[in-house]
Amino acid sequence: MSEASAPHAADRRELTAAQRNAVAELLRVSPVADELGRRFVRAGHELHLVGGSVRDALLGRLGDDLDFCTDAHPDETLRIIKGWAESIWETGREFGTIGAQRDGLRLEITTFRAESYDQVSRNPVVVYGTSLDEDLKRRDFTINAMAVSLPDHRFTDPHGGLDDISAKVIRTPSTPGESFGDDPLRMLRAARFAAQLRFAVHPDVHLAMTEMAADLDRITAERIRDEFTKLLCGADPITGLRLLVDTGLAERFLPELTGLKLEIDEHAQHKDVYEHTLTVVENAISYEEEGCDFILRMAALLHDVGKPATKAVGSDGRVSFHHHEVVGARLTKARMKAMRYPKEVTAKVTALVALHLRFYGYGRGEWTDSAVRRYVADAGDLLPRLHKLTRSDCTTRNRRKAAQLAADYDALEDRIARIAAEEDLARVRPDLDGNAIMELLGVPPGPVVGRAWKHLKEQRLEHGPLDRDAAEAELLRWARAEGLIT
């Protein structure tokens, strides 16, 4: 590691641990990486493991996706790896990247870059660089500006990335203003890395993020969406979300989050809706069973975005937010559409926001079996997430109230299980299907069948399953009332 900056004495033990992590990780992938490096050297080119791969190796978390840089241009890279790689893809060719797979590892090999921006365009203009140092300098953060040359394993760290990993700090190789001026998305990426790695943002970086937040408007919605999704799925999204709000970045693409700071939550007067929301996100994460559930996390983040628009203060001074779930669902749909999330993902998050208050009132004993059926039917396959979101929404410090809400929801889940065992609640459908309706009424496919089906479903929800004779009698009764038969 001859080119790394010398570690401070106080950091030496931690850096040694980081280096041990790197050695262990690199030994795992070195048979493929070193073999690839030798192929490039024989062809008269350089090859370096670089960026996030080196960072993750130092952190002991290197995966199966490896990033390399080289002085070879894409056509030359293709010649070097053809016949060696098990598969090759060229989807990133316009950015100088050739992809390959070998022994279960996904490899991305990119020509040295010296990206340039005109300060107006919304995407980078790719210009090939000529050296490793030039390539590392144009990278976003020092922790991503390190390289391991192959096959000799020479370590290059011209900007002190190893020290910053030890200090758990996010800095830029050039000045933050220059870096963010080149690509404003890097400001959002700083918050994302803070969330993923639990690192702190350097004060100079924080200041530049605040002063240059408006520059994020130059970036496409799709690029912002992808970075934000990674942030929300990070190990510590709360840190990332706070950075977005504190620097003003959230105001550029998710202003509803910043707006929550202005309101008071009537369920917990000791904290505003913003703090309540962050707590709900943390609670939701604790209910995840395997990996990030983005739909659940996003619903937790947006569940109360309708409160600012519905705030009312009564004559007794109490704050209320009547129907904020309805307004919130509408705002959620509009915001996720603007961020270019897929329709299916948007629909699921919107539905959870709309349903998150439905449970309140159950503890007063007002719910009939019909209400339980409708709760399950409206949630559909989102019911497990709705259970988690509703439980996450309880953030009161009043232990008695919290215990009562938990007991009430336990009772609701038990009741759902009981009725489901009796009636197959997972598939609440009319007791007669479309064919039976057409046969009994003597009508062809069309609107009448749909209306009849809907009526029978309402009866199913209200009264539970009907046997065949009772269902047919109800259908005929409805048809007579509608004037369809005499």
Side-chain angles (χ1 to χ4, degrees), residues 176-419:
E178 290 174 322
S179 181
F180 298 156
D182 279 348
D183 186 0
L185 188 68
R186 289 172 173 171
M187 294 185 287
L188 186 52
R189 196 174 293 143
R192 188 249 289 185
F193 281 124
Q196 286 184 330
L197 304 177
R198 292 192 167 100
F199 281 20
V201 169
H202 190 278
D204 291 345
V205 174
H206 192 287
L207 178 62
M209 291 167 69
T210 304
E211 293 179 341
M212 302 177 66
D215 285 11
L216 193 64
D217 296 348
R218 289 165 40 200
I219 304 301
T220 62
E222 291 82 1
R223 293 182 73 205
I224 291 174
R225 174 202 64 205
D226 292 346
E227 283 297 327
F228 178 74
T229 300
K230 293 174 184 177
L231 184 158
L232 193 58
C233 279
D236 180 19
I238 305 306
T239 292
L241 293 169
R242 288 192 186 279
L243 264 173
L244 295 181
V245 172
D246 293 347
T247 58
L249 286 167
E251 191 67 31
R252 314 314 304 185
F253 70 96
L254 191 60
E256 294 83 1
L257 178 59
T258 303
L260 295 177
K261 294 192 69 150
L262 306 178
E263 305 302 321
I264 301 297
D265 187 339
E266 81 280 18
H267 294 305
Q269 296 289 343
H270 61 280
K271 63 177 69 171
D272 62 20
V273 180
Y274 173 70
E275 292 296 336
H276 164 76
T277 294
L278 297 184
T279 301
V280 173
V281 173
E282 284 186 315
N283 291 346
I285 293 170
S286 72
Y287 284 111
E288 291 175 339
E289 297 168 9
E290 184 177 345
C292 171
D293 184 342
F294 173 77
I295 290 170
L296 176 62
R297 293 192 187 193
M298 192 67 165
L301 183 67
L302 300 179
H303 79 286
D304 274 351
V305 293
K307 283 189 170 181
T310 57
K311 179 183 177 182
V313 182
S315 57
D316 59 355
R318 289 181 60 81
V319 177
S320 64
F321 304 95
H322 296 305
H323 306 301
H324 75 267
E325 75 282 9
V326 177
V327 174
R330 185 173 70 247
L331 293 172
T332 294
K333 183 177 181 179
R335 178 54 55 196
M336 293 189 69
K337 180 179 180 180
M339 294 178 71
R340 304 291 194 271
Y341 278 103
K343 290 182 179 180
E344 181 181 357
V345 173
T346 298
K348 289 180 178 181
V349 175
T350 299
L352 287 170
V353 172
L355 291 169
H356 84 275
L357 274 189
R358 182 78 69 84
F359 160 72
Y360 291 95
Y362 177 79
R364 296 195 294 266
E366 300 169 357
W367 282 34
T368 61
D369 283 357
S370 171
V372 175
R373 293 188 195 99
R374 291 180 188 278
Y375 187 76
V376 173
D378 289 347
D381 61 4
L382 292 173
L383 185 62
R385 287 190 175 107
L386 183 57
H387 288 332
K388 295 172 183 177
L389 178 59
T390 302
R391 289 184 181 276
S392 299
D393 196 24
C394 177
T395 63
T396 178
R397 292 180 181 175
N398 184 319
R399 291 185 179 179
R400 181 177 298 177
K401 183 177 180 180
Q404 185 61 56
L405 286 170
D408 288 344
Y409 208 83
D410 287 343
L412 174 58
E413 289 202 59
D414 289 343
R415 192 171 174 189
I416 289 172
R418 175 181 59 78
I419 298 175

Side-chain angles (χ1 to χ4, degrees), residues 37-73:
R38 285 191 289 270
R39 293 180 71 89
F40 273 81
V41 169
R42 284 198 298 269
H45 293 290
E46 304 173 25
L47 185 73
H48 312 273
L49 189 69
V50 72
S53 292
V54 177
R55 178 200 70 224
D56 287 345
L58 288 164
L59 292 171
R61 45 177 280 173
L62 182 62
D64 294 332
D65 295 336
L66 305 181
D67 295 324
F68 301 88
C69 67
T70 179
D71 59 337
H73 286 199

Side-chain angles (χ1 to χ4, degrees), residues 1 17 115 128 169 262 460 478 486:
M1 299 189 178
E115 288 172 351
Y128 292 149
V169 65
L262 306 178
R460 173 76 164 77
W478 172 83
T486 58

Side-chain angles (χ1 to χ4, degrees), residues 443-462:
V443 296
V448 170
V449 178
R451 287 164 51 204
W453 191 93
K454 183 177 180 180
H455 172 75
L456 289 176
K457 181 176 180 180
E458 286 297 314
Q459 293 300 307
R460 173 76 164 77
L461 288 169
E462 189 67 30

